[in-house]
Amino acid sequence: MVIEDLIEQLKTKIETNLPQGVSISEVEFEGPQLVIYTEEPRKFADDGNIVRNLAKILRTRIVVRPDPKVLIPPEESIDLIKKNVPEESAITDFHFDPDVGEVIIEAEKPGLVIGKHGETLREITKQVGWTPKVVRTPPIKSRTVNNIREFMKKNHKERKEILKTIGRNIHRESTSKDQWVRLTSLGGCREVGRSCFVLSTPESKVMIDCGVNVGSDENMTPYLYVPELQPFKQLDAIIVTHAHLDHQGLVPLLYKYGYEGPIYCTPPTRDMMVLLQLDYIDVAAKDGKRIPYDSADVRNALKHTIVMDYEEVTDIAPDIKLTFHNAGHIIGSSISHFHIGDGLHNVVITGDFKYGPTRLFNPAVNKFPRVETVITESTYGASNALQPPLKDAERHLQQVIRDTIQQEGVVVIPAFAVGRSQEVMIVIEEAIRKGIIDEIPVYLDGMIWEATAIHATYPEYLNNDLRKLIFQKGQNPFLAECFKPVDSNELRQKIINEPHPCVILATSGMMNGGPVIEYFKAFAPSEKNTLIFVGYQADGTLGRRIQKGWKEIPLSSGRGGTETIEMNMNVEVIDGFSGHSDRRQLMEYFKKMRPQPERIFTEHGDERSCVDLASSLYRKRKVETRALTNLETVRLV
């Protein structure tokens, strides 16, 4: 059946199941959802059961949009919206998109615009005709979030055509009578970096992650040249589990070489992904390295990105449904559940996950409707890879800061911009608020403040305690007065030239570049200062050399030469802040997984970690296990 016939058939079926007196004017696929246009949006708003019943009958996501001819002019609509919404919601902006009949309402308190059970939104639809969508006004001004929103507004017409093409591809007719499922590993197996998998059926082919190993010149990219992946146009979708470069750093490259399909991820992952991609090509250019793509490719990828919230079931191919679940690793990180065929097989790909408490996120989800095969990360899969309890790590961090401040010293923390920085920020803010640490400035240098702004934009992705603090008590720890973004070289030099007791969080986390090097040069010679490592330091990095006890550190002088830095400052390594599950948590995750899977494959860890975890799970769980290797294809069905 051609797609036009299918759309006409769906339209007839919808009209048959509509209440008397309710009509529609057009039906179209846009991305994974079926869009119904009507000249009577008020009738749909009055009766929420209409859409629910249609979605149940058609077994697909449905969106109702007003026919453009019934829309009230924007100026009049703004007045009516303001009359319906409490002033405390603090609306900051409106954007009207007549092509899709939507009005985007930006507000500091979106819950008040939505109303109880969506009542206010329904009332707005009834009065103005436009379909309202509510987004949060970023409490910290984010250049990235603002640029993405503006970009989407300016490119809405092109994006609508892209979504129509994607929608028609998703809902194309199935042609094969065969039933099989295969998984191909293209990177990230028995190693950390360049994660990339392809899930294939006779009908569909989807890629999960496409990362870059920034620390390796030899094994930098996944094996994208394999014949089963060429041409890229035959891919149905790319799924990004989270925004770290080793999982998504090469996604824009695929568009450069012919891919035209969608990217699926959560909203925070999209924003963080753009931030890190642009930073990646900027750093590569400054270091004189080959740049795999440019900002135009990043923008092209953004136009094709479709965001999904957790627990939202979405068709991504004729025979594959995708659901994201919280992974607890970084903001927006997702465990991906693939429902293949009509109950044929269910695959869970964990990406990076944390099955334990953190200051930022709830523990990773391990309850699914069905699961037969799991592909799991194994970063800390070795039997001796145990992390101390988070509370112990927090107390240790607070003690070291307190001792350094008391001797008028400076604390320098090399930090990864996403995740660990925000975790440490919350611990320090609480300690200052409770008087455990004196009131001192906490300087944030590098991308940390911008990444924090994205965290603040999406508080619904933070854990229960943080959400209560922000929504019920009106306390956002990210907005605390102690945090001082370093937004100019002048301020950085002032901190260095006029040292005073303070904490400095600066990128990069492994000290292989970034502003942390400037602070290290300035404060390393003094014994009263302290360098605190809260993240993993890979072999070959400056951070690892310092951990090994080097006392004379050769560094570039910035004038083409080399200078030797005397290393006298105290060095502390504080484990426990990792965004990965340690060995105990990994074993517990699978012990409590429901339902229990039939097979578990390990990846994302060195060879020892992957093999050790696979063999331990086999002995404990009595299921088929295996440590995957790159370039192998495994038949699942």
Side-chain angles (χ1 to χ4, degrees):
M1 183 188 300
V2 296
I3 199 74
E4 283 77 13
D5 292 339
L6 174 60
I7 290 172
E8 197 56 43
Q9 195 179 86
L10 286 169
K11 186 178 180 185
T12 302
K13 200 169 186 178
I14 290 166
E15 288 172 335
T16 304
N17 287 279
L18 286 174
Q20 196 169 357
V22 180
S23 64
I24 60 172
S25 53
E26 188 187 348
V27 173
E28 182 57 88
F29 287 120
E30 290 183 18
Q33 58 198 16
L34 182 67
V35 180
I36 298 171
Y37 288 89
T38 177
E39 294 182 26
E40 301 161 320
R42 293 163 183 81
K43 290 184 179 178
F44 281 87
D46 270 334
D47 187 356
N49 288 323
I50 297 176
V51 173
R52 279 192 288 272
N53 291 339
L54 289 175
K56 199 172 180 181
I57 293 165
L58 302 177
R59 295 178 67 188
T60 191
R61 287 171 60 194
I62 291 174
V63 172
V64 176
R65 289 185 181 151
D67 193 296
K69 63 170 75 86
V70 301
L71 297 175
I72 290 175
E75 297 79 10
E76 190 179 332
S77 296
I78 289 173
D79 291 337
L80 288 168
I81 291 169
K82 286 181 175 177
K83 285 178 183 175
N84 280 281
V85 174
E87 200 172 320
E88 310 89 80
S89 64
I91 293 175
T92 54
D93 198 12
F94 295 92
H95 172 69
F96 291 85
D97 186 348
D99 290 314
V100 295
E102 287 180 355
V103 53
I104 298 171
I105 305 168
E106 196 172 283
E108 292 178 9
K109 297 180 180 177
L112 295 178
V113 182
I114 295 168
K116 193 175 182 180
H117 307 303
E119 288 173 4
T120 309
L121 287 188
R122 285 194 292 276
E123 190 59 35
I124 290 171
T125 302
K126 279 157 57 174
Q127 291 193 25
V128 304
W130 298 85
T131 301
K133 281 200 170 179
V134 190
V135 297
R136 186 179 307 279
T137 305
I140 302 172
K141 193 168 183 181
S142 164
R143 183 178 64 257
T144 304
V145 172
N146 182 64
N147 288 346
I148 287 172
R149 289 180 179 178
E150 288 302 315
F151 179 80
M152 292 305 208
K153 288 175 190 176
K154 287 177 183 174
N155 291 275
H156 63 89
K157 288 188 177 179
E158 184 183 355
R159 182 168 162 79
K160 185 178 180 181
E161 291 305 311
I162 289 171
L163 290 175
K164 283 170 74 170
T165 302
I166 291 169
R168 288 169 174 244
N169 186 56
I170 290 170
H171 297 93
R172 67 185 185 270
E173 187 177 12
S174 297
T175 57
S176 177
K177 293 179 181 176
D178 293 335
Q179 288 193 327
W180 51 259
V181 182
R182 302 192 311 168
L183 179 80
T184 303
S185 48
L186 302 180
C189 294
R190 304 192 185 206
E191 64 180 358
V192 175
R194 61 172 180 168
S195 290
C196 188
F197 292 90
V198 172
L199 192 62
S200 308
T201 74
E203 296 291 344
S204 313
K205 192 173 292 188
V206 300
M207 179 182 283
I208 300 93
D209 288 341
C210 188
V212 59
N213 187 347
V214 293
S216 170
D217 292 329
E218 295 175 3
N219 300 313
M220 186 177 178
T221 66
Y223 296 94
L224 299 176
Y225 55 78
V226 293
E228 57 262 47
L229 201 55
Q230 301 296 332
F232 290 138
K233 278 186 179 181
Q234 68 183 2
L235 276 172
D236 284 279
I238 297 169
I239 289 82
V240 174
T241 59
H242 67 284
H244 279 149
L245 286 172
D246 62 322
H247 290 258
Q248 59 79 19
L250 287 182
V251 168
L253 182 71
L254 302 178
Y255 289 91
K256 190 173 180 178
Y257 289 106
Y259 178 63
E260 297 173 346
I263 300 164
Y264 293 94
C265 63
T266 61
T269 294
R270 177 196 62 187
D271 294 4
M272 205 68 82
M273 182 166 65
V274 170
L275 173 66
L276 295 180
Q277 286 168 354
L278 292 174
D279 181 70
Y280 168 55
I281 58 179
D282 182 52
V283 170
K286 287 176 180 173
D287 291 347
K289 294 182 179 177
R290 185 176 64 84
I291 305 170
Y293 51 84
D294 58 28
S295 57
D297 299 309
V298 176
R299 291 192 294 273
N300 193 23
L302 180 57
K303 276 188 286 197
H304 289 78
T305 301
I306 296 172
V307 294
M308 295 166 45
D309 292 323
Y310 293 148
E311 318 297 333
E312 196 175 287
V313 183
T314 302
D315 290 296
I316 61 169
D319 58 347
I320 301 178
K321 293 182 186 293
L322 168 67
T323 310
F324 285 141
H325 301 274
N326 170 48
H329 175 61
I330 64 170
I331 192 159
S333 58
S334 306
I335 290 172
S336 304
H337 179 279
F338 299 90
H339 179 80
I340 301 167
D342 192 10
L344 176 66
H345 201 72
N346 293 266
V347 179
V348 166
I349 298 183
T350 67
D352 295 354
F353 74 96
K354 176 79 168 183
Y355 189 58
T358 73
R359 286 296 190 119
L360 291 173
F361 312 113
N362 292 325
V365 168
N366 61 352
K367 305 290 189 295
F368 308 99
R370 275 186 57 184
V371 54
E372 283 81 45
T373 299
V374 179
I375 295 91
T376 178
E377 70 127 310
S378 315
T379 313
Y380 293 113
S383 55
N384 63 347
L386 304 176
Q387 295 272 317
L390 181 61
K391 289 292 181 188
D392 291 353
E394 291 178 358
R395 280 193 288 268
H396 188 185
L397 176 68
Q398 292 169 355
Q399 181 67 49
V400 172
I401 293 174
R402 187 166 62 239
D403 291 348
T404 305
I405 298 306
Q406 284 175 353
Q407 59 186 25
E408 298 291 304
V410 172
V411 175
V412 178
I413 305 178
F416 302 102
V418 183
R420 302 294 69 74
S421 291
Q422 290 73 34
E423 188 97 8
V424 169
M425 284 169 65
I426 289 174
V427 174
I428 296 174
E429 183 275 333
E430 182 182 88
I432 292 174
R433 179 161 37 90
K434 291 183 175 179
I436 299 170
I437 297 173
D438 291 342
E439 287 191 21
I440 50 163
V442 180
Y443 295 108
L444 310 173
D445 204 341
M447 270 200 310
I448 295 171
W449 188 242
E450 183 64 20
T452 302
I454 294 173
H455 282 72
T457 303
Y458 296 103
E460 60 271 26
Y461 280 83
L462 303 174
N463 67 23
N464 299 338
D465 292 339
L466 264 181
R467 288 203 305 271
K468 280 180 190 172
L469 199 65
I470 292 167
F471 293 136
Q472 295 177 18
K473 297 186 178 179
Q475 296 176 19
N476 191 329
F478 297 128
L479 303 178
E481 289 185 8
C482 61
F483 298 127
K484 314 288 183 188
V486 180
D487 52 8
S488 68
N489 191 52
E490 288 76 21
L491 178 53
R492 185 178 301 130
Q493 292 309 313
K494 185 176 181 184
I495 297 166
I496 289 170
N497 295 329
E498 302 173 17
H500 52 280
C502 64
V503 174
I504 300 166
L505 271 77
T507 53
S508 69
M510 295 187 192
M511 299 186 69
N512 51 357
V516 72
I517 301 299
E518 296 302 310
Y519 297 112
F520 175 70
K521 287 179 181 179
F523 299 121
S526 175
E527 295 177 357
K528 68 180 183 180
N529 301 324
T530 305
L531 183 69
I532 302 178
F533 291 108
V534 293
Y536 176 71
Q537 305 298 304
D539 281 330
T541 62
L542 174 58
R544 176 56 68 90
R545 290 198 291 271
I546 293 170
Q547 281 187 356
K548 286 179 177 177
W550 285 32
K551 291 299 180 184
E552 293 185 344
I553 313 289
L555 288 174
S556 169
S557 64
R559 297 182 294 274
T562 301
E563 60 181 312
T564 300
I565 306 299
E566 269 191 58
M567 179 59 193
N568 295 318
M569 70 194 303
N570 300 304
V571 177
E572 294 279 351
V573 178
I574 303 180
D575 293 321
F577 287 105
S578 174
H580 294 272
S581 301
D582 71 357
R583 168 57 179 250
R584 273 189 300 253
Q585 291 168 344
L586 286 166
M587 297 300 289
E588 191 71 6
Y589 180 82
F590 286 100
K591 178 183 177 182
K592 293 184 176 177
M593 179 176 280
R594 294 294 180 270
Q596 283 287 297
E598 296 170 3
R599 63 169 73 90
I600 304 169
F601 297 137
T602 61
E603 52 94 26
H604 198 285
D606 61 29
E607 184 162 6
R608 178 187 163 217
S609 298
C610 291
V611 172
D612 194 340
L613 181 63
S615 60
S616 297
L617 286 169
Y618 172 73
R619 290 194 304 271
K620 285 281 186 182
R621 308 257 52 87
K622 300 296 186 280
V623 297
E624 177 190 347
T625 65
R626 182 170 168 184
L628 294 173
T629 57
N630 289 332
L631 286 177
E632 73 171 314
T633 295
V634 181
R635 182 170 179 177
L636 306 181
V637 175

